[in-house]
Amino acid sequence: MTSATRTLVLGGTRSGKSAYAENLVAHYEHVRYVATGRRDPSDIDWEARIDTHRARRPSSWTTVESPRGLSDVLATPTDCATIVDDLGTWLTGAIDDREAWDLPRGTITPESDALVNAVSQGIGTMVLVSPEVGWGVVPETRSGRLFQDEMGTLNRRLAAVCDSVVLVVAGQPLTLKSAVQ
């Protein structure tokens, strides 16, 4: 049985976190890329972002588009290295699915619990990409503050169960937690 190696890669928008995460698994023969973004043909900018990520991935990688059921995907055994990009889009979708933008914080805790459990029980190599939030101004809207709070809580919980945590700033990785002690 393969031992688990779980890495959480954090960073701001356009910090280089996805490219860094992709490099972590580039040497594996088999890679499962789990894309969490939801397609929206009416949003040309969003579709262009997705296309940029797609174009960067090697054609040999298997892509699983999983805007829903992420914990189930991660709980499914695989002989591939797994990269999840990105947990911010997953969280947005989870809040949307529950129609929880105006509900109390913690409404999506069951979904977060399932994700953290799937990561902590996972075997093999797993790299999770997530936005680091809360370094700027406090968002003006309740939904912005809700996202910031829920994302920060999820990142903290995942960092606790991951072997390594890396923060990418301006394309430069900073190791916050290392599997090698």
Side-chain angles (χ1 to χ4, degrees), residues 33-55 57 63-68 85 89-90 92-93 96-97:
Y33 186 101
V34 183
T36 63
R38 296 180 182 193
R39 304 301 306 240
D40 181 359
S42 69
D43 187 338
I44 295 168
D45 181 65
W46 182 246
E47 291 295 307
R49 283 177 179 250
I50 291 173
D51 290 343
T52 298
H53 278 255
R54 280 184 169 170
R57 291 192 298 265
T63 299
V64 176
E65 293 194 6
S66 182
R68 292 178 176 87
D85 197 3
T89 55
W90 171 82
T92 299
D96 283 346
D97 289 347

Side-chain angles (χ1 to χ4, degrees), residues 94-146:
I95 295 170
D96 283 346
D97 289 347
R98 283 286 205 97
E99 298 178 354
W101 291 105
D102 293 317
L103 298 177
R105 282 160 177 73
T107 298
I108 60 148
T109 297
E111 290 86 344
S112 295
D113 287 349
L115 177 59
V116 171
N117 186 55
V119 170
S120 69
Q121 299 299 314
I123 58 172
T125 298
M126 187 181 303
V127 179
L128 309 166
V129 179
S130 190
E132 182 56 42
V133 295
W135 288 10
V137 296
V138 175
E140 183 177 325
T141 64
R142 182 189 189 291
S143 59
R145 291 186 300 273
L146 171 76

